[in-house]
Amino acid sequence: MAALKHIVGSVAVITIRNPPVNALSPQVQVSLMEVLKDVTLDPSVKAIVLCGENGKFSGGADIRTFSKTDPKTDIKRMSLDDVNSVAERSRKPVVAAVEGVALGGGLELALACHYRIAHVKARVGLTEVLLGLLPGAGGTQRLPRLIGVPAALDMITTGKIVPAPVAVKLGIVDSVTEGSAVEEAIHLAQKVVGQPLESRRICSKPIQCPPNVDSLLNDAKVKLKKQFRGAESHQVCVEAIRAAVQLPFAEGIVKERELFLSLFNSDQAKACQYAFFAERSVAKWTTPSGANWKSASPQTIRTAAVIGLGTMGQGIAVSLAKAQIQVIAVEQDEQQLEKGSKAVTAILERETLKKQQFELAHKSDSFGSVTFTLDFNALKNADLVIEAVYENMALKKEIFQRLSSICKPGAFLCTNTSGLDIDEIASVTDRPHLVIGTHFFSPAHLMKLLEVVRGYHSSSTIISTVMNLSKVLNKVGVVVDNCPLFVGNRLLLPYINQAVFLLEDGRTPEEVDQVLEEFGYAMGPFRMSDLAGLDIGWRSRMEFGLTGPKLLPGAPVRQREGKRYSPLPDILCEEGRFGQKSGKGWYQYETVGGRNAARDPWVHNFLHEYRRAHAIKQKNVSQGEILEWCLYPLINEGFKVLEDGIASGPEDIDVIYNNGYGWPRHKGGPMFYASMIGLPRVLVKLEEFYKNNPDIPSLKPSNLLKALVKQGSPPLKEWRSQLGYPNSRL
Ligand SMILES: C/C=C(\C)C(=O)SCCNC(=O)CCNC(=O)[C@H](O)C(C)(C)COP(=O)(O)OP(=O)(O)OC[C@H]1O[C@@H](n2cnc3c(N)ncnc32)[C@H](O)[C@@H]1OP(=O)(O)O
């Protein structure tokens, strides 16, 4: 039975049972319906308590069943909404005992109950929008009636999850307990037996609308359009709330259903649900040698050290402190230490304020302490060290040599690098098996992604420890193999190069950015490069002799070793245009460090002169071609990464792109996107591009892509078998 019943006095306690998160699968819904009807008819039962097994109310509808559901028949036959209305119409009081989580359909079920008691650590939210859907079991009609339109609009359109103390202030739950929510709910249920229920039925509540409700909804749509470019579900959620505002409850439910069905089978919903499971699947890492998440023994990190308090080091220190880890932050000179400590303290103060505001000053766990020091010996007690100095192999090796002699045996040594060789760094230590790459993304206290780069000798213990740490830091860790630039930046390189070639061929930064932003990227390649800093790539190209003093004399301006090369980004840097940090790059900014990119006539004039000087003929490229020209080489590199065994599956690449590179989640990730548009199309286009541009090797189609097309383009979940890995569980 998916819903169990036991009787306490005159109270029937119905427990949802579907481990691990008590998802409301169709079977659970049927079972709930039966038990609910049963107890409503049972004269000995005077009140009902609804709870979930193992301290979790419910993680919502069972997402895994969505792809197997035919919306035309299955959803109409039986839906969670039917269960909810039976609970709400019941003449016996129904109390929801919310422990753990009540998310999506879980919260919608709780909203249909007459009372809600939550454990203080419980979290609630209508998260459907993040799955490309809307709360289709009455959530869009009940929540605005319960907590008002503005608060409901915020929660429903963002999928925000709130802790119980916030939920009680908002009016979502009636009270919070530090003890057992089930006991408390039984107690309440007994107390309210016989009391009138009409005022407790949210469906009967009149909706409180602010006078400017129309403009509130319209403004929300504009804001959401900017925040979630191209994503439909956020917009449709607003329309469902508009229905709540304009229509009586029963009609609103009909409209909600209609809007829900318009999203249910969409490609965007499929992409978001794929992204959800892909994130879960990367946690279950495995290495070619057979080490895996199940058999490894992760260690708990209580004290961590950060070396280098530049932008990355600051963010990493804050991230650790926010996770209640004690941090030792080390710098090499007094001035850097003072600058770094001021920055870390300021960010931590802002984060504390945010946390307090969010939790409405409810007592909450404080952050870990951060000790700032110049003394390397202070690292001797650290469980784990993250070196975050700038990208210079010699400097990193010198630090790791010192760490070997200072750190306690067993301490884990991590290097925050975006592409340097982990094995070379590990080779200078006394413990290569305890060395690993941790590629954080800036700002490190906010960005979700952590690329965990295993070296040749990295043990399963360090991999699992860092993967566990990523969860503790509220990040998504993805294990990848060691290769130049790892996974994320390796795919980024051809994408950026292609975008720059477009400038040579006659396009402008604004035109290219617009196409990629309309596709859904948070920022186009030029805006993003300005944000990241153009000097980073420039220094690395100088290091590799592609430009600057190490460049071989006589090298053609637009070629390196016979391959097409654009010196445009180098010239910008030579002009002191490093992006936002210098107030100018591909765009101009209002001030040094400014955020608002504006068209820069200097850049346009410079591009014009450059094309004239090199006699480059302008090409007519459509918006669709700009998109394919930039994205297909990125996807192609993804296939090469899979071929090389650097990422263990397409999901890993997609999770990296969704969480670290601003890829629109509603397009699933680059590999998922390729599977949706069709591998043959990607292959044909790459072949055409490569034929016309044989001097751009990244356009040469990967063998894996060709092999998959030859096999009839199997679904993404079967690609792994081509690589010798077991197929995806998705
Ligand atoms: C219409 C649509 C309606 C009415 C809906 O309700 S849509 C679903 C809305 N619910 C959600 O968006 C919640 C999704 N789940 C989560 O946010 C989290 O899983 C959690 C907070 C519930 C638990 O987090 P955590 O403890 O970290 O565990 P995992 O995330 O690793 O999950 C454990 C396994 O449970 C599977 N899972 C989680 N939620 C669902 C679900 N709603 N349906 C099906 N399966 C779910 C998850 O995939 C993990 O399983 P494995 O992948 O490890 O096998």
Side-chain angles (χ1 to χ4, degrees):
M1 277 285 268
L4 306 172
K5 174 188 83 173
H6 74 277
I7 306 287
V8 181
S10 59
V11 179
V13 180
I14 302 176
T15 308
I16 306 165
R17 177 203 225 176
N18 186 13
V21 299
N22 296 324
L24 301 167
S25 64
Q27 292 88 322
V28 172
Q29 293 176 30
V30 169
S31 174
L32 255 178
M33 185 69 119
E34 277 168 9
V35 181
L36 261 174
K37 283 187 174 159
D38 176 36
V39 295
T40 338
L41 293 175
D42 182 344
S44 70
V45 171
K46 303 285 180 236
I48 301 156
V49 164
L50 210 53
C51 61
E53 201 176 52
N54 284 332
K56 285 180 190 137
F57 188 76
S58 170
D62 189 339
I63 309 164
R64 277 190 207 279
T65 62
F66 290 175
S67 55
K68 296 163 201 141
T69 304
D70 177 353
K72 294 221 167 57
T73 52
D74 298 355
I75 293 180
K76 276 185 191 141
R77 209 168 42 234
M78 158 81 190
S79 77
L80 184 57
D81 203 28
D82 299 326
V83 179
N84 290 348
S85 65
V86 168
E88 192 167 50
R89 278 190 277 112
S90 160
R91 298 217 182 124
K92 301 173 183 178
V94 186
V95 184
V98 177
E99 294 182 321
V101 286
L103 299 178
L107 179 56
E108 291 183 278
L109 175 60
L111 290 175
C113 298
H114 307 121
Y115 297 89
R116 285 158 295 281
I117 306 280
H119 184 261
V120 68
K121 296 258 181 211
R123 295 176 300 138
V124 306
L126 292 178
T127 46
E128 289 93 335
V129 71
L130 303 175
L131 298 165
L133 301 171
L134 60 76
T140 64
Q141 306 304 299
R142 287 195 180 89
L143 196 63
R145 284 179 163 78
L146 184 64
I147 66 171
V149 177
L153 184 67
D154 178 39
M155 283 191 69
I156 292 171
T157 58
T158 62
K160 188 182 274 177
I161 297 175
V162 297
V166 177
V168 80
K169 293 256 166 148
L170 286 170
I172 300 173
V173 298
D174 300 298
S175 66
V176 169
T177 173
E178 300 207 0
S180 156
V182 180
E183 294 297 320
E184 197 81 15
I186 295 172
H187 183 68
L188 176 70
Q190 282 162 339
K191 215 168 90 185
V192 296
V193 168
Q195 288 185 11
L197 286 175
E198 196 49 19
S199 67
R200 302 299 312 177
R201 293 189 177 103
I202 299 175
C203 65
S204 313
K205 277 187 192 293
I207 193 152
Q208 302 292 334
C209 283
N212 56 347
V213 68
D214 254 346
S215 52
L216 180 78
L217 297 174
N218 294 341
D219 292 352
K221 283 185 90 166
V222 173
K223 192 171 147 218
L224 291 161
K225 200 168 183 176
K226 236 174 143 183
Q227 198 180 347
F228 304 97
R229 286 172 202 277
E232 289 160 11
S233 58
H234 306 268
Q235 301 290 316
V236 181
C237 278
V238 178
E239 288 313 315
I241 297 168
R242 201 188 296 279
V245 166
Q246 293 176 344
L247 302 172
F249 183 81
E251 288 175 41
I253 287 283
V254 173
K255 183 72 186 171
E256 180 194 81
R257 176 103 319 211
E258 182 194 307
L259 294 169
F260 173 75
L261 290 175
S262 75
L263 294 173
F264 188 74
N265 258 1
S266 67
D267 284 351
Q268 292 202 359
K270 282 184 194 136
C272 293
Q273 289 154 31
Y274 160 82
F276 173 82
F277 287 117
E279 260 167 42
R280 267 89 203 147
S281 83
V282 297
K284 300 186 168 90
W285 56 272
T286 170
T287 68
S289 65
N292 65 52
W293 64 284
K294 249 191 205 157
S295 54
S297 328
Q299 307 292 302
T300 305
I301 303 302
R302 293 196 174 80
T303 306
V306 179
I307 303 176
L309 284 178
T311 312
M312 289 310 295
Q314 290 164 19
I316 297 169
V318 170
S319 201
L320 291 162
K322 274 174 70 181
Q324 279 110 44
I325 293 171
Q326 307 305 320
V327 184
I328 307 160
V330 188
E331 252 298 352
Q332 57 177 357
D333 68 54
E334 199 72 63
Q335 211 187 349
Q336 295 297 333
L337 187 71
E338 199 188 322
K339 197 171 155 205
S341 71
K342 269 193 186 147
V344 169
T345 310
I347 306 174
L348 275 173
E349 275 168 12
R350 280 202 303 272
E351 290 295 310
T352 309
L353 204 67
K354 263 204 277 183
K355 189 171 148 100
Q356 280 169 351
Q357 277 169 351
F358 183 64
E359 295 181 3
L360 304 176
H362 178 78
K363 74 171 176 209
S364 58
D365 307 320
S366 58
F367 293 158
S369 66
V370 187
T371 314
F372 299 96
T373 178
L374 292 172
D375 181 11
F376 250 68
N377 288 319
L379 303 180
K380 66 177 188 293
N381 293 323
D383 301 323
L384 175 142
V385 179
I386 302 175
E387 163 277 309
V389 302
Y390 62 90
E391 296 282 31
N392 179 298
M393 181 55 91
L395 177 62
K396 290 195 185 250
K397 279 163 89 171
E398 188 194 316
I399 290 172
F400 274 76
Q401 223 160 11
R402 281 181 82 184
L403 290 176
S404 283
S405 54
I406 293 168
C407 294
K408 64 184 180 191
F412 303 103
L413 309 182
C414 312
T415 172
N416 176 58
T417 166
S418 56
L420 294 181
D421 184 359
I422 307 302
D423 293 332
E424 191 175 340
I425 296 170
S427 69
V428 299
T429 69
D430 61 346
R431 61 191 88 180
H433 64 295
L434 296 185
V435 177
I436 204 161
T438 44
H439 181 199
F440 285 85
F441 288 72
S442 184
H445 62 291
L446 299 178
M447 290 292 286
K448 289 287 275 184
L449 179 65
L450 181 62
E451 240 182 338
V452 177
V453 190
R454 62 184 170 82
Y456 183 75
H457 296 286
S458 303
S459 66
S460 59
T461 306
I462 187 165
I463 300 174
S464 60
T465 299
V466 172
M467 283 298 280
N468 257 25
L469 181 66
S470 71
K471 196 152 187 186
V472 172
L473 301 184
N474 193 23
K475 296 197 184 299
V476 186
V478 185
V479 180
V480 302
D481 201 359
N482 182 25
C483 77
L485 300 180
F486 316 139
V487 172
N489 285 345
R490 192 170 144 179
L491 271 66
L492 188 69
L493 192 64
Y495 167 76
I496 296 287
N497 284 345
Q498 294 292 103
V500 174
F501 294 152
L502 283 170
L503 300 188
E504 290 196 332
D505 295 343
R507 303 277 61 83
T508 64
E510 294 82 7
E511 284 171 332
V512 178
D513 279 349
Q514 191 191 339
V515 171
L516 273 308
E517 285 164 16
E518 274 170 14
F519 171 74
Y521 260 109
M523 278 184 208
F526 296 107
R527 247 185 265 276
M528 191 198 68
S529 302
D530 272 2
L531 171 70
L534 300 180
D535 53 323
I536 299 170
W538 183 45
R539 280 180 221 293
S540 142
R541 291 192 295 279
M542 283 200 275
E543 190 80 16
F544 286 106
L546 291 168
T547 187
K550 286 192 194 164
L551 177 64
L552 292 178
V557 180
R558 298 179 56 222
Q559 261 193 3
R560 296 290 179 270
E561 295 176 349
K563 297 174 208 154
R564 182 167 173 185
Y565 180 84
S566 173
L568 287 174
D570 300 334
I571 303 173
L572 253 64
C573 289
E574 285 155 18
E575 292 286 330
R577 303 182 71 103
F578 297 152
Q580 290 186 2
K581 63 172 83 162
S582 62
K584 54 194 179 176
W586 296 111
Y587 293 89
Q588 59 178 328
Y589 296 86
E590 66 279 21
T591 122
V592 169
R595 294 284 165 98
N596 297 315
R599 178 184 185 277
D600 191 341
W602 183 93
V603 172
H604 285 248
N605 190 40
F606 157 68
L607 289 174
H608 179 75
E609 286 304 316
Y610 173 88
R611 290 178 203 123
R612 204 178 51 79
H614 294 281
I616 304 173
K617 270 208 237 128
Q618 295 225 9
K619 284 185 192 153
N620 243 340
V621 193
S622 70
Q623 296 209 336
E625 273 173 325
I626 292 180
L627 193 67
E628 293 180 324
W629 174 258
C630 291
L631 292 187
Y632 289 4
L634 179 155
I635 291 166
N636 196 32
E637 197 61 37
F639 282 111
K640 291 180 185 172
V641 155
L642 290 175
E643 239 174 79
D644 294 350
I646 302 300
S648 57
E651 300 86 356
D652 302 61
I653 297 176
D654 287 338
V655 171
I656 288 174
Y657 261 72
N658 290 339
N659 291 285
Y661 291 84
W663 182 277
R665 198 179 163 84
H666 61 273
K667 294 220 160 77
M671 309 317 283
F672 180 85
Y673 178 67
S675 75
M676 290 301 271
I677 46 180
L679 301 188
R681 172 161 184 89
V682 179
L683 179 60
V684 165
K685 264 328 243 191
L686 280 168
E687 278 170 343
E688 179 193 316
F689 287 150
Y690 187 50
K691 194 168 148 234
N692 297 331
N693 302 273
D695 56 348
I696 307 180
S698 58
L699 297 174
K700 185 176 179 194
S702 90
N703 292 333
L704 176 61
L705 172 60
K706 286 196 282 194
L708 288 169
V709 171
K710 208 165 166 189
Q711 284 169 37
S713 304
L716 180 145
K717 60 184 176 196
E718 286 170 25
W719 297 359
R720 278 177 192 241
S721 59
Q722 275 294 310
L723 309 163
Y725 284 95
N727 270 335
S728 162
R729 299 167 61 254
L730 301 190

